[in-house]
Amino acid sequence: MYQEIFTLNESNEKTIRTRHWGEQLWVLLLLIAAILLYQMDLGILPLRDWDEGIVAGVARDIYQGSLDWLYPTSAGEPYFNKPPLMHLLIAWAYFFGGVNEWTTRLPGAMLSALSVPLLYGIAREVFRLRSPAIFSALVYLTLLPVLRHGRLAMLDGGVQCFFLLMLWCLLRSRRNLRWGLGVGIGLGLICMTKGMMGVLLGTIAFAFTLWDTPRLLRSWYLWIGIALGMTPVTLWYVAQWQHYGDAFLSAHFGIQSLQRVWQPVESNAGPPWYYVLELLKYSWPWFLFLPQGLKLAWENRTLSWAKLVAVWTSVYFVAITVMGTKLPWYVLPLYPAIALACGAKLAQVWADRKTTEPFTRDPLYPVAWIGILGTIAVVLWGGSFYFGVMEPSYGTYLPVLLIAVALTLSLAALLIYHQDRQFVLILFWGMFVSLCLFVTSPHWIWELNEAYPVKPVAEAIAKQTPPGQKIYTSFAYNRPSLNFYSDRQVIPATPEQLQQYWREQAPPYFLVDRLTLEALDLGPSHIQNANEGWLLVTRDSP
């Protein structure tokens, strides 16, 4: 039955021209919706630590060096972590729009927005009907982790877009071999963004091709495209090796790539079920349909869409699970495959028009869906009351956001109870509106609340210290966002190290809290308030 639904010819389309205009309209609507969601209030909140601070710092060095990207640096030191494609795009954004939060996040956000219609294009290649393609793209559009990390100044939004571009070209090459050229270009863009990630994602594409359309592996267009795409990658790596020698190879391929496989880097460890918990925490309400979507893929594993989902989910999930380093955004390339599986299931739900009464012996929709959505809705209603009435210090954004999601899930559960397929549309529209509220709130980068705000402290440092001055702080860990905003290196140090620096360096600059200052034996010193409870200390002039 399912194969008939998803492989029949679209006989209800009147003409080829009608289908063509329909495709263009859907691509345009998805692109507009994605751009709206990814650009809304993009530059309001400051950059967060680690990813955004580091990426912005490297991009600013490229920008200040007249877009010299061949040998990227971070605070003047060689940057061996990742290739510089995304950093170069951000530097170009700085060139046209200045150095600020919006231009820092703009390239990654736009690439992430483009990945939505790209996923629609992939789904149109593997599904014969339009409805599963539309549902897959809408699921992907309204996945919270994809949206949140895609809006951040990280490399993952670009990787996601380039990987989907590669798969789209691969699928189109089944009908026109010339599209094989685009496969290599997409692979090259991945490698110029995140280096070794191209090996894993390229393996997924190769395994799918070997199972689904092995004849493509004999296409000269495919191999010429791979040669074209990998040529600039190879030249860049050779240039780094010639310039830096073994130091680059050890840092880039060792510490920053292969070492992450067998041991945690920077204490980012987790149990084998780490990414299962990530999916359970952040992929609702679409996780509700994932088990049945995967089951549907297994039952129809002779079809291209099912082969793609099976290879994609299994290879990638196993790869990130066995890695020693666990980070939340490592799971992002799995979400497009999840969207395809959920879209297939939702399209089957939408196509089945059988009518039954609530709680009959053979209900159209599982009763468990009502219970799960209803339980989550009750929790959200309770949360909205707590944050709106009991803890009003959080402001109005959080309770309103919780009310929007709770209302969406409540209406969907009610429609499922009445066996009404319109619950699918309620979920899509409600989640889109809720995510619009989310990205316009101060909560979409919740990591900013984990430590003191950096911008006021950075402004004080920039005003009160010489350019290029190294500053030592009693704060527990390095904050790349503070380095970026202050345009100084702020280096964590223990009280013993601070005492030693005070004796050995002239003049040293310290960023310390009052308790640490009282515990140190500094002698005559000049103390200035650096905001947020921090003090900027240097030796008094003789």
Side-chain angles (χ1 to χ4, degrees), residues 2 6 127 131-133 135-136 139 338-348:
Y2 182 82
F6 283 91
F127 294 116
S131 58
F135 290 151
S136 298
V139 168
I338 290 173
L340 289 173
C342 293
K345 178 59 185 177
L346 290 171
Q348 186 190 45

Side-chain angles (χ1 to χ4, degrees), residues 269-485:
W273 53 88
Y274 177 89
Y275 293 110
V276 175
L277 295 179
E278 286 295 308
L279 295 175
L280 280 170
K281 286 190 293 185
Y282 299 119
S283 59
W284 293 96
W286 310 121
F287 189 85
L288 182 66
F289 311 102
L290 179 59
Q292 294 190 35
L294 294 176
K295 180 174 178 289
L296 208 55
W298 177 252
E299 292 171 350
N300 295 272
R301 54 190 177 275
T302 58
L303 302 180
S304 290
W305 76 268
K307 294 177 183 177
L308 181 60
V309 169
V311 171
W312 195 338
T313 54
S314 59
V315 173
Y316 190 82
F317 187 77
V318 169
I320 60 175
T321 297
V322 300
M323 287 180 62
T325 302
K326 299 287 195 300
L327 289 167
W329 50 89
Y330 282 4
V331 76
L332 286 182
L334 196 62
Y335 283 109
I338 290 173
L340 289 173
C342 293
K345 178 59 185 177
L346 290 171
Q348 186 190 45
V349 168
W350 189 258
D352 195 340
R353 299 176 182 234
K354 180 177 63 174
T355 58
T356 58
E357 294 299 323
F359 294 119
T360 58
R361 295 181 62 183
D362 185 25
L364 184 58
Y365 311 128
V367 176
W369 290 1
I370 304 173
I372 294 173
L373 292 180
T375 301
I376 298 175
V378 169
V379 173
L380 293 175
W381 283 117
S384 65
F385 175 79
Y386 176 79
F387 290 111
V389 178
M390 308 298 292
E391 289 288 341
S393 59
Y394 285 88
T396 59
Y397 283 104
L398 188 55
V400 170
L401 175 61
L402 294 175
I403 288 172
V405 182
L407 183 61
T408 298
L409 300 186
S410 299
L411 290 175
L414 182 62
L415 290 173
I416 294 174
Y417 171 78
H418 288 287
Q419 302 293 290
D420 189 341
R421 67 175 185 169
Q422 301 296 326
F423 82 89
V424 177
L425 302 183
I426 291 295
L427 284 177
F428 283 132
W429 178 246
M431 289 305 300
F432 180 80
V433 172
S434 299
L435 289 175
C436 286
L437 295 174
F438 175 66
V439 297
T440 55
S441 76
H443 304 294
W444 74 272
I445 310 181
W446 53 73
E447 294 89 348
L448 295 176
N449 298 322
E450 295 176 355
Y452 64 88
V454 298
K455 292 190 75 172
V457 179
E459 290 174 2
I461 291 174
K463 290 179 181 178
Q464 300 170 16
T465 63
Q469 175 67 49
K470 288 185 178 181
I471 299 157
Y472 299 95
T473 180
S474 60
F475 193 68
Y477 54 84
N478 182 37
R479 303 199 65 184
S481 62
L482 180 61
N483 297 342
F484 173 76
Y485 283 116

Side-chain angles (χ1 to χ4, degrees), residues 10 13-28 120 124 130 172:
E10 294 183 316
E13 297 281 7
K14 294 182 179 179
T15 62
I16 295 178
R17 180 175 297 181
T18 303
R19 290 197 299 269
H20 176 70
W21 281 106
E23 289 299 298
Q24 289 187 332
L25 179 60
W26 273 110
V27 169
L28 180 62
Y120 174 79
R124 284 297 283 148
R130 186 179 293 160
R172 289 190 67 86

Side-chain angles (χ1 to χ4, degrees), residues 143-195:
L143 276 166
L144 173 62
V146 176
L147 171 65
R148 203 173 80 88
H149 288 95
R151 285 170 55 92
L152 294 172
M154 298 175 62
L155 310 181
D156 301 86
V159 170
Q160 202 92 319
C161 179
F162 301 145
F163 181 44
L164 295 180
L165 174 65
M166 180 177 70
L167 288 179
W168 181 60
C169 292
L170 179 64
L171 291 168
R172 289 190 67 86
S173 68
R174 298 185 304 177
R175 293 184 284 115
N176 186 335
L177 294 177
R178 293 184 180 87
W179 283 95
L181 297 172
V183 176
I185 294 173
L187 180 62
L189 292 173
I190 296 171
C191 293
M192 282 301 293
T193 303
K194 217 170 181 182

Side-chain angles (χ1 to χ4, degrees), residues 169-170 173 176-185 215-229:
C169 292
L170 179 64
S173 68
N176 186 335
L177 294 177
R178 293 184 180 87
W179 283 95
L181 297 172
V183 176
I185 294 173
R215 62 178 175 83
L216 293 180
L217 299 176
R218 299 191 299 269
S219 170
W220 283 103
Y221 287 105
L222 175 64
W223 296 108
I224 291 173
I226 292 175
L228 290 174

